[in-house]
Amino acid sequence: MSEKIAVLVDSGCDVPQTVISASPNLAIVALNVRQNGVDYLDGVDLTPDEFYAHLTPDNLPQTASPAPAMIAAHMQDL
């Protein structure tokens, strides 16, 4: 009997892209980030540098879990 093991994490885990690229059984699903009234996918259309550049104490971002459909799509790929 052969088992296939895969790991799916959200983008809050900060796994380096070099590690992701080197492992076909590891995937990241992007968290939803709302910053300054705009919705982003973490690491997809919002880089860490952009995130921190717009961060202010009086306008903190909000995050949300990835959509179930995004999780399911990544699981199928794995």
Side-chain angles (χ1 to χ4, degrees):
M1 180 173 150
S2 137
E3 290 183 304
K4 181 175 180 180
I5 297 174
V7 177
L8 179 64
V9 296
D10 67 42
S11 59
C13 72
D14 289 331
V15 174
Q17 187 58 46
T18 54
V19 173
I20 303 264
S21 299
S23 177
N25 294 340
L26 177 62
I28 293 182
V29 62
L31 289 172
N32 297 297
V33 178
R34 176 173 278 242
Q35 193 172 34
N36 299 320
V38 180
D39 292 324
Y40 300 98
L41 290 177
D42 180 35
V44 175
D45 43 33
L46 180 68
T47 67
D49 289 340
E50 292 169 330
F51 174 85
Y52 288 112
H54 295 99
L55 191 61
T56 63
D58 58 338
N59 193 10
L60 297 176
Q62 298 173 320
T63 60
S65 299
M70 288 185 74
I71 294 169
H74 280 283
M75 290 179 72
Q76 286 212 292
D77 289 344
L78 289 170

